[in-house]
Amino acid sequence: MSQELTGAQIMCEALIREGVEVMFGIPGGAIMPFYFAMWEYRDRLRHVLCRHEQGAGHAAEGYARSTGRIGVCIGTSGPGVTNLVTPVADAMMDSTPLLAICGQVGSHVLGKDAFQETDITGITMPITKHNYLVKNASELAYVFKEAIYIATTGRPGPVLIDITKDAMQKSCVPNWDRKLDLPGYKPTYQPNRKQLREALKLLRQARKPLIIAGNGVIMAGAHAELRHFAERLRLPVITTLHGIGAFPEEHPLSLGMPGMHGWVHCNRAIQECDVLFNIGGRFDDRVTGKASTFAPNAKVIHVDIDPSEIGKNVKVDVPIVADARMALQALLDELPVKEELADLHAHASDWMEYIRELQDKHQGKQQYINRAAVQNMALPPHDVYAALNRHIAERGNIIVVTDVGQHQMWAAQLLDWNAGPRSHITSGGAATMGFSVPAALGVAIAHPDKTVWVVCGDGGFQMTNQEMATIIQEGIKNIKVAVINNGYLGMVRQWQELFENKRYSGTPLSGPNFAKLAEAYYWKGMTVEHTNQVQAAIEEAQATNGPVLIDFRVEREVNVFPMVPQNASIGDMITENSGA
Amino acid sequence: MKKHTIVALVQDQPGVLSRVIGLIRRRGYNIESLAVGHSEQPSISRLTIVVESTQVEQVVKQLYRLIEVIKVSDVTDDPTVEREMVLLKLHAPISVRHEIVAMCGVFDAKIVDVGSSTMIIEMSGTPSKVQNFIDTIRSYGIKEMMRTGRIAMVRGSRGHNADQYVESGNGATAPVAN
Ligand SMILES: Cc1ncc(C[n+]2csc(CCOP(=O)(O)OP(=O)(O)O)c2C)c(N)n1
Ligand SMILES: [Mg+2]
């Protein structure tokens, strides 16, 4: 193609070349040339007009996390792009491939405090994998290609491109053929064989081996390999918050979630194991508790695609820098025949039996859902999850998006996660309240054939619920929102109850009538106040051909247990009986 | 806290210095000195950073996360040649000039400017020798001083050759920790 195009046209062409189909954004002065050009590409490049740039960013994240493809969001210079800062930071923390396209003032006034100018590349330097300031139309073809390559390869992450208005308006003949030249960026995908053998040696000699699986397994599409590997060695598997979906919970080797609100048996298994094989998790402090007391008896094998994660929080004995799937594949190739694993199998089976005994002794999922403490409440939050479980099991084809707080931890703990990778979408590393409704918008667009259930707190819901209008305008029908309405910023209130003598400073929270609010947005709205209405409401929501919100007015002061207090060892959990 | 000398090769792009410094700042470490300039390759700049830190290995690994950072190493315990340069403007009335000239002779320093009551002296050497010189000459009255910060190069065939990272594309990946 030797035709002259405007910079903005080049941007559209570049996105189409990279397989982008949807973008989420809001226009404004500096980005207008892009919107002008977008119009002629609208059949191939769908633009979803959001109500707030934060919503656009989270929607792009939802799209990316549920597909593994790049999510694209757009904002105009100044407040438009500063509104994108939160989702960009969120994407950084959770390694989400996100492209933020930002309009910037004209290059001739750059740095002169022009109208709506902000230094967004300066602001986002520490929260992007990489960012660019583009002042010439001739650079755009290359920069877009490079940016999407960087965002989606290695450890994925957000990349931001700030483009001056004149660079979008000027014309040139784009050069699509320029080869990527990134001498400082060569992600390591293939594992080092020597380290692999070292890891296998450790595992074979283990008496109490344990796998922790994290987000890396899901991003690498390594769930099948993980399953083979665990089954061949018969190792118990723990899945972190972002590892949910990497290993089916109904599998006999699955233990569940570790960490601050993980199960006692998971944390105890970590504390007692002698070899810990972490695949694609980053030993976040919500997993490790006080890091110096974490897994004190374990030799640690850590597989991560990002070398800077290795040894960052936990001392590692065998580092393996690799893509999770390639590492597991290579490990499977190196496995000895079954007979040679007899010793390991014997030890692993004793160990598993021991962990299951621990599990029976401590409150696990079933006991937690059905416990007496909540039996006399009109609507314990747990009953909503129990009903959702029944619904998901019957219906299938559901993706759950959660927000941040107690309801999020209950979802991770209490729902039965058997639907495979990318069936659980949440904000983990940044824990961004307000993530869920806009993220669900992106998920629903990417998966029109599935139903997206949002589980959200009354606090987080009030941060971004304006995207209900976007959902209607886009004609999206497959979103159902369950607000777990406890009238508090519940997670903070829980800490105040447990550690600050119930000083509920800044946590009691009122809201509008959520069902009526939903109706005002042309959604269907329902209110549920009693346990015996829960199942019917969920089924009605599912049967409704359009977006539905259910306001579950749950018991107000219920806590998430078990719990590791901040900076404590994960071996010291507060359980329901020892706690409040 | 131990002082570490880090040598880095980076792509010569706007903002790259900001990224490198930002990453170190984020950890709360103080940069004692920083020298930047061209390497043997015009598209690649070379940095020497002196930083006080207990976890320099982690800093080095995180620097590799930056897309434009090509190679980084902590050369503190390697055999290196280290140099620093200083420009000093001294209070130098006629009466003491001969003493200053003699002192410069001892330290291999050059007098590069002479004013009516001042002299500018240029001196380079190992950072400790530069420090010695400054301490010795200080009594004459330093009116202005500028130190360049340390630059370092590993001795022998190992080191930070920038040529290999251009065109051929068989550049560095972050080292596998071991
Ligand atoms: C944007 C943002 N602000 C503040 C917080 C701190 N925070 C964490 S959980 C929480 C309470 C959430 O309340 P709600 O959405 O009602 O959920 P609940 O815990 O009650 O289920 C708060 C305020 C946060 N994570 N994100
Ligand atoms: Mg709440």
PDB file of all heavy atoms in Angstrom, chain B residues 89-94 97 111-121:
ATOM      1  N   LYS B  89      36.617  25.337  41.124  1.00  0.00           N
ATOM      2  CA  LYS B  89      37.041  26.733  41.061  1.00  0.00           C
ATOM      3  C   LYS B  89      37.515  27.112  42.456  1.00  0.00           C
ATOM      4  O   LYS B  89      36.752  27.063  43.421  1.00  0.00           O
ATOM      5  CB  LYS B  89      35.887  27.637  40.633  1.00  0.00           C
ATOM      6  CG  LYS B  89      36.343  29.052  40.334  1.00  0.00           C
ATOM      7  CD  LYS B  89      35.165  29.957  39.964  1.00  0.00           C
ATOM      8  CE  LYS B  89      34.719  29.733  38.523  1.00  0.00           C
ATOM      9  NZ  LYS B  89      33.529  30.558  38.196  1.00  0.00           N
ATOM     10  N   LEU B  90      38.818  27.437  42.530  1.00  0.00           N
ATOM     11  CA  LEU B  90      39.416  27.719  43.841  1.00  0.00           C
ATOM     12  C   LEU B  90      39.610  29.216  44.046  1.00  0.00           C
ATOM     13  O   LEU B  90      39.861  29.961  43.093  1.00  0.00           O
ATOM     14  CB  LEU B  90      40.801  27.069  43.934  1.00  0.00           C
ATOM     15  CG  LEU B  90      40.873  25.563  44.155  1.00  0.00           C
ATOM     16  CD1 LEU B  90      42.316  25.179  44.369  1.00  0.00           C
ATOM     17  CD2 LEU B  90      40.013  25.140  45.337  1.00  0.00           C
ATOM     18  N   HIS B  91      39.501  29.601  45.292  1.00  0.00           N
ATOM     19  CA  HIS B  91      39.922  30.941  45.669  1.00  0.00           C
ATOM     20  C   HIS B  91      41.452  30.934  45.624  1.00  0.00           C
ATOM     21  O   HIS B  91      42.089  30.224  46.390  1.00  0.00           O
ATOM     22  CB  HIS B  91      39.405  31.231  47.082  1.00  0.00           C
ATOM     23  CG  HIS B  91      39.795  32.577  47.569  1.00  0.00           C
ATOM     24  ND1 HIS B  91      39.352  33.745  46.965  1.00  0.00           N
ATOM     25  CD2 HIS B  91      40.584  32.956  48.603  1.00  0.00           C
ATOM     26  CE1 HIS B  91      39.855  34.778  47.593  1.00  0.00           C
ATOM     27  NE2 HIS B  91      40.605  34.335  48.597  1.00  0.00           N
ATOM     28  N   ALA B  92      42.059  31.726  44.691  1.00  0.00           N
ATOM     29  CA  ALA B  92      43.502  31.591  44.488  1.00  0.00           C
ATOM     30  C   ALA B  92      44.188  32.941  44.298  1.00  0.00           C
ATOM     31  O   ALA B  92      44.538  33.330  43.182  1.00  0.00           O
ATOM     32  CB  ALA B  92      43.761  30.687  43.285  1.00  0.00           C
ATOM     33  N   PRO B  93      44.335  33.701  45.349  1.00  0.00           N
ATOM     34  CA  PRO B  93      45.097  34.938  45.238  1.00  0.00           C
ATOM     35  C   PRO B  93      46.557  34.614  44.909  1.00  0.00           C
ATOM     36  O   PRO B  93      47.022  33.493  45.166  1.00  0.00           O
ATOM     37  CB  PRO B  93      44.962  35.567  46.626  1.00  0.00           C
ATOM     38  CG  PRO B  93      44.611  34.437  47.537  1.00  0.00           C
ATOM     39  CD  PRO B  93      43.898  33.420  46.720  1.00  0.00           C
ATOM     40  N   ILE B  94      47.214  35.599  44.334  1.00  0.00           N
ATOM     41  CA  ILE B  94      48.587  35.374  43.836  1.00  0.00           C
ATOM     42  C   ILE B  94      49.458  34.690  44.881  1.00  0.00           C
ATOM     43  O   ILE B  94      50.248  33.793  44.573  1.00  0.00           O
ATOM     44  CB  ILE B  94      49.214  36.737  43.437  1.00  0.00           C
ATOM     45  CG1 ILE B  94      48.267  37.403  42.462  1.00  0.00           C
ATOM     46  CG2 ILE B  94      50.632  36.531  42.897  1.00  0.00           C
ATOM     47  CD1 ILE B  94      48.755  37.975  41.213  1.00  0.00           C
ATOM     48  N   ARG B  97      49.269  30.821  44.831  1.00  0.00           N
ATOM     49  CA  ARG B  97      49.173  30.089  43.560  1.00  0.00           C
ATOM     50  C   ARG B  97      50.270  29.053  43.392  1.00  0.00           C
ATOM     51  O   ARG B  97      50.018  27.961  42.905  1.00  0.00           O
ATOM     52  CB  ARG B  97      49.201  31.061  42.383  1.00  0.00           C
ATOM     53  CG  ARG B  97      47.854  31.731  42.238  1.00  0.00           C
ATOM     54  CD  ARG B  97      47.718  32.480  40.954  1.00  0.00           C
ATOM     55  NE  ARG B  97      46.437  33.180  41.000  1.00  0.00           N
ATOM     56  CZ  ARG B  97      46.019  34.026  40.104  1.00  0.00           C
ATOM     57  NH1 ARG B  97      46.772  34.303  39.051  1.00  0.00           N
ATOM     58  NH2 ARG B  97      44.852  34.609  40.220  1.00  0.00           N
ATOM     59  N   ILE B 111      45.572  22.772  35.567  1.00  0.00           N
ATOM     60  CA  ILE B 111      44.977  24.091  35.744  1.00  0.00           C
ATOM     61  C   ILE B 111      44.452  24.519  34.383  1.00  0.00           C
ATOM     62  O   ILE B 111      45.196  24.594  33.424  1.00  0.00           O
ATOM     63  CB  ILE B 111      46.015  25.083  36.276  1.00  0.00           C
ATOM     64  CG1 ILE B 111      46.413  24.615  37.688  1.00  0.00           C
ATOM     65  CG2 ILE B 111      45.476  26.500  36.292  1.00  0.00           C
ATOM     66  CD1 ILE B 111      47.737  25.115  38.151  1.00  0.00           C
ATOM     67  N   VAL B 112      43.125  24.727  34.311  1.00  0.00           N
ATOM     68  CA  VAL B 112      42.531  24.995  32.996  1.00  0.00           C
ATOM     69  C   VAL B 112      42.068  26.434  32.840  1.00  0.00           C
ATOM     70  O   VAL B 112      41.687  26.857  31.756  1.00  0.00           O
ATOM     71  CB  VAL B 112      41.379  24.012  32.695  1.00  0.00           C
ATOM     72  CG1 VAL B 112      41.926  22.615  32.434  1.00  0.00           C
ATOM     73  CG2 VAL B 112      40.359  23.986  33.825  1.00  0.00           C
ATOM     74  N   ASP B 113      42.068  27.192  33.925  1.00  0.00           N
ATOM     75  CA  ASP B 113      41.697  28.598  33.813  1.00  0.00           C
ATOM     76  C   ASP B 113      42.300  29.357  34.978  1.00  0.00           C
ATOM     77  O   ASP B 113      42.323  28.861  36.106  1.00  0.00           O
ATOM     78  CB  ASP B 113      40.172  28.767  33.842  1.00  0.00           C
ATOM     79  CG  ASP B 113      39.767  30.225  33.676  1.00  0.00           C
ATOM     80  OD1 ASP B 113      39.942  30.758  32.562  1.00  0.00           O
ATOM     81  OD2 ASP B 113      39.306  30.823  34.675  1.00  0.00           O
ATOM     82  N   VAL B 114      42.794  30.562  34.671  1.00  0.00           N
ATOM     83  CA  VAL B 114      43.330  31.405  35.744  1.00  0.00           C
ATOM     84  C   VAL B 114      42.671  32.770  35.652  1.00  0.00           C
ATOM     85  O   VAL B 114      42.705  33.414  34.603  1.00  0.00           O
ATOM     86  CB  VAL B 114      44.856  31.550  35.631  1.00  0.00           C
ATOM     87  CG1 VAL B 114      45.395  32.452  36.747  1.00  0.00           C
ATOM     88  CG2 VAL B 114      45.535  30.188  35.677  1.00  0.00           C
ATOM     89  N   GLY B 115      42.012  33.205  36.733  1.00  0.00           N
ATOM     90  CA  GLY B 115      41.395  34.525  36.773  1.00  0.00           C
ATOM     91  C   GLY B 115      42.201  35.410  37.718  1.00  0.00           C
ATOM     92  O   GLY B 115      43.277  35.016  38.193  1.00  0.00           O
ATOM     93  N   SER B 116      41.640  36.594  38.024  1.00  0.00           N
ATOM     94  CA  SER B 116      42.420  37.519  38.843  1.00  0.00           C
ATOM     95  C   SER B 116      42.594  36.982  40.260  1.00  0.00           C
ATOM     96  O   SER B 116      43.636  37.130  40.866  1.00  0.00           O
ATOM     97  CB  SER B 116      41.751  38.893  38.872  1.00  0.00           C
ATOM     98  OG  SER B 116      40.433  38.734  39.367  1.00  0.00           O
ATOM     99  N   SER B 117      41.563  36.294  40.785  1.00  0.00           N
ATOM    100  CA  SER B 117      41.745  35.718  42.115  1.00  0.00           C
ATOM    101  C   SER B 117      41.246  34.284  42.185  1.00  0.00           C
ATOM    102  O   SER B 117      40.998  33.745  43.242  1.00  0.00           O
ATOM    103  CB  SER B 117      40.987  36.564  43.157  1.00  0.00           C
ATOM    104  OG  SER B 117      39.607  36.481  42.871  1.00  0.00           O
ATOM    105  N   THR B 118      41.032  33.674  41.008  1.00  0.00           N
ATOM    106  CA  THR B 118      40.535  32.287  40.997  1.00  0.00           C
ATOM    107  C   THR B 118      41.332  31.437  40.030  1.00  0.00           C
ATOM    108  O   THR B 118      42.005  31.940  39.126  1.00  0.00           O
ATOM    109  CB  THR B 118      39.065  32.238  40.529  1.00  0.00           C
ATOM    110  OG1 THR B 118      38.989  32.813  39.230  1.00  0.00           O
ATOM    111  CG2 THR B 118      38.138  32.971  41.478  1.00  0.00           C
ATOM    112  N   MET B 119      41.211  30.146  40.228  1.00  0.00           N
ATOM    113  CA  MET B 119      41.752  29.177  39.276  1.00  0.00           C
ATOM    114  C   MET B 119      40.723  28.075  39.101  1.00  0.00           C
ATOM    115  O   MET B 119      40.052  27.701  40.068  1.00  0.00           O
ATOM    116  CB  MET B 119      43.012  28.511  39.844  1.00  0.00           C
ATOM    117  CG  MET B 119      44.253  29.359  39.812  1.00  0.00           C
ATOM    118  SD  MET B 119      45.518  28.476  40.739  1.00  0.00           S
ATOM    119  CE  MET B 119      46.887  28.630  39.648  1.00  0.00           C
ATOM    120  N   ILE B 120      40.602  27.547  37.873  1.00  0.00           N
ATOM    121  CA  ILE B 120      39.779  26.342  37.695  1.00  0.00           C
ATOM    122  C   ILE B 120      40.727  25.182  37.452  1.00  0.00           C
ATOM    123  O   ILE B 120      41.639  25.261  36.619  1.00  0.00           O
ATOM    124  CB  ILE B 120      38.793  26.479  36.535  1.00  0.00           C
ATOM    125  CG1 ILE B 120      37.793  27.622  36.829  1.00  0.00           C
ATOM    126  CG2 ILE B 120      38.030  25.166  36.315  1.00  0.00           C
ATOM    127  CD1 ILE B 120      36.772  27.846  35.731  1.00  0.00           C
ATOM    128  N   ILE B 121      40.491  24.131  38.212  1.00  0.00           N
ATOM    129  CA  ILE B 121      41.342  22.950  38.134  1.00  0.00           C
ATOM    130  C   ILE B 121      40.523  21.762  37.674  1.00  0.00           C
ATOM    131  O   ILE B 121      39.388  21.583  38.091  1.00  0.00           O
ATOM    132  CB  ILE B 121      41.961  22.646  39.511  1.00  0.00           C
ATOM    133  CG1 ILE B 121      42.826  23.841  39.923  1.00  0.00           C
ATOM    134  CG2 ILE B 121      42.797  21.377  39.485  1.00  0.00           C
ATOM    135  CD1 ILE B 121      43.234  23.803  41.351  1.00  0.00           C
TER     136      ILE B 121
END
